[in-house]
């Protein structure tokens, strides 16, 4: 076992430490290079990751839904198919819906909205009512999205006209933002009976169905099972898993993170060159010392070890300091750019700091390699003669 | 009689300096027996430093043969030369050449590190070696710049003795010391020689030949007089 005391009294390490201290100012300057490099690379990583997290957060819980559309050439999703889908494991809810687009009028103004027929209990699963209440089953009432309400200056109790029908607004939905299942903000939701009255002859087949998974992990399995079950003979439905969107967001932000870290790594490259420079200078200054070491029995490997250890020590100490500062730098960047510092305390942040430290140490070692090699290959005689 | 510990046969060393060739050693044959105290004398440019480098395994000859403690070093590579040097030769320099960042005792430990002496033995052995070199124990933890010239040379001698080499090579060991200190250093070297170490001293100080039992005089890369 190697104890801390052994390491402390290790002569190579002692030598490395003292040689670094010999030119304190120069060492500190080289260390600052590494520190800045580590901060740059890891805080850029943290920034990229936080941007990703803030975007995925704003998409809410879309990832656990699958959308079932009729396949091209099919009229709709049938009730039979809905029943078949219920056999698939891991499904929390199946929400069939009719939908169409239409002109929504109120007094003298109008806008366009998506008209939905979704059962009341199903709608409750997808959106919240901010004002008023959900419509009653079979009534001629409707619930509208927040942007329609804003556009037409509607309140609970207003009566809107769609085609020849008049619907009473009983509820206004809470703003939900972008979604891939229903356009909640620009939607008008009403009962099946009312919808049938407004658009007769639309048929019994649903326009689409929303399937909600019990857990995010099961989305892919559910998609596969539904496709296997329903598209056995011929393709009748198309399944669209919304987690694909999350995945592509993740992919895109991975590239952004990588790009940002790439920019950060330029500063580390510069630091590596400065380590190379410092170590080369110190090799030149210590030529005679290297000669003496070799004369008293240091092999090439011994000299190589001594110089690499110096670079390593410098790299480890500077990188650790850099890692520590990254927490502060990350906090600053997040509060300025993303305006949410809670992302700082995530596992991903730790990983990026760790990566930064790793790159810092590696850079120092690489920078120290050539000088160490050069020192180890000095001929003792030439080195001894050097004044 | 056993083999000589140092044997040079018709050794030549040629350097090229620009267009001209310099024959630093021009067919030198010498042999040094175990326990000898040899001084090598000669004017600057006579080739004595080159000779010392050969014996110290810092350099190999252009032609001829060099044998150190039974091993022919003529064709060895750098790593093998290092091993021979480490195990057979203790160097003492005119400039002392101590490592400035290390204390006296650590300087003595350095050669032991390279010969992989376990850490727990090193300190003790280094201390004993310093004692042998007559450095007062209180200076063991001082850095070279805190020591006088004589003290530094004693540390350097202790360092040369660290791996208990059969041969000590000294290049003008008293050259940087006043005559009184120089005398005490020479007395130390004589005592080490009496204890069995082969001692080779390169100098142009005539006085040092009084201590040795053999003197080799070099002139223009050749041995001009083997016996004094």
């Amino acid at each position: 076992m190697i104890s801390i005391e052994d390491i402390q009294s290790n002569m190579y390490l002692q030598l490395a430490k003292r040689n670094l201290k010999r030119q304190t100012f120069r060492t500190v300057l080289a260390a600052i290079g590494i520190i800045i490099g580590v901060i740059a690379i890891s805080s850029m990583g943290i920034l990229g990751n936080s941007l990703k997290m803030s975007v995925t957060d704003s998409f809410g819980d879309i990832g656990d839904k699958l959308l079932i559309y009729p396949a091209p050439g099919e009229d709709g999703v049938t009730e039979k198919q809905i029943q078949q889908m219920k056999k698939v494991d891991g499904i929390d809810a199946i929400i069939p819906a009719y939908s169409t687009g239409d002109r929504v009028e109120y007094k003298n103004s109008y806008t366009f909205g998506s008209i939905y027929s979704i059962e009341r209990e199903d709608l409750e699963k997808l959106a919240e009512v901010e004002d008023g209440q959900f419509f009653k089953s079979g009534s001629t009432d409707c619930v509208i999205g927040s942007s329609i309400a804003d556009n037409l200056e509607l309140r609970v109790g207003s009566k809107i006209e769609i085609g020849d029908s008049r619907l009473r607004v009983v509820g206004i939905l809470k703003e939900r933002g972008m979604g891939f299942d229903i356009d909640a903000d620009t939607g008008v939701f009403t009962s099946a009976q009312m919808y049938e009255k407004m658009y007769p002859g639309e048929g019994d087949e649903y326009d689409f169905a929303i399937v909600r998974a019990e857990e995010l992990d099961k989305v892919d399995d559910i998609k596969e099972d539904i496709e296997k079950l329903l598209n056995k003979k011929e393709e009748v439905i198309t399944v669209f898993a919304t987690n694909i969107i999350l995945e592509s967001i993740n992919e895109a932000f991975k590239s952004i993170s990588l790009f940002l870290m790439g920019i950060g790594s330029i500063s580390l490259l510069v630091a590596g060159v400065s380590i190379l420079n410092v170590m080369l200078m110190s090799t030149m200054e210590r030529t005679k010392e290297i000669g003496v070491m070799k004369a008293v029995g240091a092999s090439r490997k011994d000299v190589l070890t001594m110089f690499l250890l110096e670079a390593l020590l410098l790299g480890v100490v500077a990188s650790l300091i850099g890692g520590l500062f990254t927490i502060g730098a990350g906090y600053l960047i997040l509060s300025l750019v993303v305006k949410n510092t809670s992302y700082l305390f995530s596992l991903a942040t730790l990983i990026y700091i760790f990566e930064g430290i790793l790159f810092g140490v590696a850079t120092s070692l690489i920078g120290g390699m050539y000088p160490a090699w050069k020192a180890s290959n000095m001929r003792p005689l030439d080195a001894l003669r050097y004044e | 009689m056993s083999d000589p510990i140092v044997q040079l046969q018709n050794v030549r060393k040629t350097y090229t300096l620009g267009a001209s060739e310099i024959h630093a050693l021009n067919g030198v044959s010498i042999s040094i027996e175990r326990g000898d105290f040899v001084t090598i004398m000669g004017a600057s440019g006579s080739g004595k430093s080159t000779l010392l480098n050969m014996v110290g395994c810092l350099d190999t000859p252009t032609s001829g043969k060099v044998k150190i403690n039974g091993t022919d070093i003529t064709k060895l590579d750098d790593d093998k030369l290092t091993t021979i040097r480490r195990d057979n030769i203790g160097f003492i320099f005119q400039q002392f050449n101590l490592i400035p960042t290390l204390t006296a005792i650590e300087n003595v430990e350095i050669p032991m590190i390279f010969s992989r002496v376990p850490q727990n033995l090193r300190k003790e052995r280094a201390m004993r070696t310093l004692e042998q070199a007559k450095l007062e124990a209180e200076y063991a933890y001082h850095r070279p710049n805190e020591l006088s010239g004589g003290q530094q040379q004693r540390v350097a001698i202790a360092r040369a003795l660290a791996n208990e080499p059969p041969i000590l090579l000294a290049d003008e060991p008293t050259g940087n010391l006043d005559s009184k200190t120089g005398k005490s250093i020479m007395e130390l070297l004589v005592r080490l020689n009496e204890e069995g170490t082969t001692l080779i001293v390169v100098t142009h100080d005539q006085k040092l030949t009084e201590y040795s039992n053999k003197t080799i005089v070099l002139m223009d890369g050749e041995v001009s007089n083997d016996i004094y």
Side-chain angles (χ1 to χ4, degrees):
Chain A
M1 272 299 285
I2 300 169
S3 70
I4 291 179
E5 227 165 273
D6 280 345
I7 293 169
Q8 276 177 339
S9 57
N10 181 300
M11 199 83 131
Y12 287 123
L13 210 63
Q14 280 295 330
L15 258 174
K17 206 170 88 186
R18 291 183 207 175
N19 279 322
L20 287 173
K21 272 190 188 161
R22 230 171 180 179
Q23 294 280 351
T24 315
F25 189 60
R26 207 162 69 190
T27 304
V28 167
L29 284 182
I32 287 174
I34 290 288
I35 292 171
I36 291 173
V38 170
I39 293 176
I41 203 165
S42 36
S43 55
M44 284 298 142
I46 291 170
L47 174 64
N49 181 59
S50 304
L51 284 175
K52 181 188 90 182
M53 279 163 85
S54 69
V55 171
T56 45
D57 274 4
S58 70
F59 272 101
D61 52 6
I62 55 164
D64 62 349
K65 293 191 189 101
L66 296 103
L67 302 180
I68 317 290
Y69 292 107
E74 298 291 325
D75 288 337
V77 180
T78 63
E79 183 61 32
K80 200 178 139 208
Q81 286 165 347
I82 301 285
Q83 293 307 321
Q84 270 181 298
M85 273 188 257
K86 284 185 177 160
K87 290 180 208 152
V88 173
D89 279 339
I91 291 178
D92 177 46
I94 300 178
I95 304 164
Y98 297 98
S99 83
T100 188
D102 212 335
R103 206 166 117 122
V104 180
E105 288 177 47
Y106 176 65
K107 287 182 179 162
N108 292 324
S109 56
Y110 69 90
T111 184
F112 286 93
S114 307
I115 320 299
Y116 291 95
S117 158
I118 293 180
E119 291 303 322
R120 179 201 163 139
E121 56 269 26
D122 287 340
L123 185 58
E124 282 171 359
K125 288 172 192 157
L126 298 174
E128 283 175 64
V129 169
E130 192 173 47
D131 207 2
Q133 61 195 47
F134 283 110
F135 54 82
K136 285 198 181 69
S137 200
S139 70
T140 59
D141 300 337
C142 70
V143 169
I144 57 169
S146 60
S147 41
I148 288 205
D150 285 348
N151 280 348
L152 300 179
E153 293 170 2
L154 298 173
R155 273 168 290 127
V156 173
S158 308
K159 283 202 170 119
I160 54 169
E161 275 176 52
I162 298 173
D164 300 330
S165 310
R166 285 170 76 85
L167 294 92
R168 191 164 63 101
V169 175
V170 291
I172 295 171
L173 296 177
K174 197 171 166 184
E175 191 177 340
R176 208 186 65 162
M178 209 173 149
F180 293 91
D181 47 358
I182 49 169
D183 301 323
D185 296 349
T186 59
V188 176
F189 302 86
T190 186
S191 67
Q193 287 80 355
M194 187 62 198
Y195 189 88
E196 174 64 28
K197 208 158 82 190
M198 284 156 69
Y199 307 104
E202 282 274 304
D204 293 333
E205 291 171 356
Y206 298 107
D207 290 312
F208 68 97
I210 299 162
V211 172
R212 197 166 68 183
E214 284 169 0
E215 280 167 52
L216 203 59
D217 300 351
K218 292 182 178 163
V219 170
D220 289 327
D221 289 339
I222 294 172
K223 175 173 155 62
E224 211 173 290
D225 288 349
I226 292 178
E227 279 172 342
K228 228 189 280 172
L229 200 66
L230 273 73
N231 292 343
K232 220 182 310 181
K233 292 195 198 96
E234 52 177 328
E235 198 153 314
V236 292
I237 52 140
T238 305
V239 183
F240 175 70
T242 52
N243 68 341
I244 285 179
I245 294 156
L246 280 185
E247 273 164 24
S248 42
I249 290 172
N250 279 338
E251 275 307 307
F253 276 97
K254 208 180 266 175
S255 313
I256 291 175
S257 288
L258 217 60
F259 173 71
L260 287 173
M261 283 171 85
I263 292 173
S265 65
I266 291 173
S267 59
L268 208 53
L269 187 75
V270 174
V273 173
S274 92
I275 295 263
L276 178 74
N277 183 28
V278 164
M279 295 290 291
L280 262 184
M281 273 163 82
S282 127
T283 311
M284 296 308 284
E285 286 165 1
R286 275 147 62 191
T287 299
K288 191 156 188 186
E289 201 177 303
I290 295 163
V292 174
M293 291 272 197
K294 288 200 141 189
V296 302
S299 64
R300 276 188 302 188
K301 218 178 109 202
D302 291 323
V303 177
L304 195 75
T305 310
M306 279 190 271
F307 275 83
L308 277 184
L309 208 63
E310 240 175 81
L312 184 70
L313 188 68
L314 179 62
V316 167
V317 171
S319 299
L320 286 179
I321 295 173
L324 220 67
F325 281 173
T326 300
I327 297 170
Y331 187 87
L332 204 71
I333 290 178
L334 291 193
S335 60
L336 289 176
V337 180
V338 193
K339 300 194 168 57
N340 184 348
T341 52
S342 68
Y343 298 130
L344 189 63
F345 305 100
S346 65
L347 180 70
T349 300
L350 274 183
I351 290 172
Y352 281 116
I353 291 179
F354 181 73
E355 261 177 43
I357 291 174
L358 213 67
F359 275 115
V361 173
T363 305
S364 309
L365 265 184
I366 291 169
M369 245 173 224
Y370 173 68
W373 176 84
K374 202 175 151 155
S376 72
N377 275 304
M378 278 181 185
R379 293 182 61 225
L381 192 58
D382 300 336
L384 273 173
R385 278 212 208 102
Y386 186 90
E387 289 300 332
Chain B
M1 201 175 141
S2 64
D3 274 352
I5 194 161
V6 175
Q7 200 171 20
L8 277 73
Q9 283 170 7
N10 199 21
V11 168
R12 287 170 197 279
K13 183 72 187 181
T14 311
Y15 297 106
T16 21
L17 202 72
S20 60
E21 283 196 335
I22 296 166
H23 302 280
L25 291 180
N26 211 351
V28 171
S29 298
I30 54 171
S31 61
I32 296 168
E33 306 297 330
R34 271 166 219 281
D36 268 355
F37 182 164
V38 179
T39 43
I40 297 173
M41 292 207 43
S44 21
S46 64
K48 62 184 194 311
S49 293
T50 309
L51 180 63
L52 185 83
N53 293 336
M54 296 284 165
V55 178
C57 304
L58 291 170
D59 209 352
T60 49
T62 312
S63 72
K65 206 171 182 183
V66 179
K67 271 174 98 175
I68 303 294
N69 206 4
T71 312
D72 185 354
I73 65 153
T74 318
K75 296 273 178 282
L76 295 184
D77 62 22
D78 190 42
D79 284 339
K80 293 214 179 68
L81 279 177
T82 302
T83 313
I84 301 278
R85 192 159 62 224
R86 189 188 70 196
D87 297 337
N88 292 290
I89 316 277
F91 278 96
I92 299 160
F93 304 94
Q94 180 177 1
Q95 315 280 351
F96 322 133
N97 285 347
L98 297 175
I99 309 293
T101 45
L102 298 179
T103 61
I105 189 162
E106 284 167 341
N107 264 289
V108 181
E109 281 182 70
I110 280 282
M112 296 192 239
I113 293 175
F114 300 139
S115 60
R116 311 283 179 259
V117 174
Q119 192 169 322
N120 47 358
L121 295 181
R122 276 202 318 250
K123 269 257 133 67
E124 198 197 316
R125 248 174 74 177
M127 208 61 184
R128 230 180 320 133
T129 316
L130 278 173
E131 233 168 82
Q132 218 184 333
K134 296 270 179 285
L135 184 83
E136 294 85 341
E138 54 180 302
Y139 295 111
Y141 294 94
H142 285 243
R143 297 270 173 102
N145 60 3
E146 299 160 347
L147 300 174
S148 71
Q151 285 167 331
Q152 285 189 56
Q153 195 59 302
R154 285 179 193 281
V155 176
I157 291 170
R159 179 178 66 186
L161 292 171
N163 282 329
E164 296 164 357
I167 306 165
L168 275 185
L169 275 188
D171 186 4
E172 300 280 9
T174 59
N176 270 21
L177 302 172
D178 62 71
S179 60
K180 188 165 159 268
T181 317
K183 194 163 172 266
S184 70
I185 290 291
M186 280 318 290
E187 279 162 6
L188 170 63
L189 290 177
V190 166
R191 217 199 56 234
L192 292 170
N193 173 243
E194 283 165 1
E195 285 164 13
T197 311
T198 307
L199 188 59
I200 302 167
V201 175
V202 171
T203 185
H204 54 247
D205 184 353
Q206 188 78 45
K207 274 185 293 183
L208 297 194
T209 60
E210 292 164 20
Y211 298 96
S212 63
N213 59 4
K214 196 174 178 185
T215 300
I216 298 166
V217 178
L218 280 181
M219 196 179 279
D220 300 328
E222 284 169 44
V223 179
S224 79
N225 187 355
D226 208 352
I227 300 149
Y228 245 72

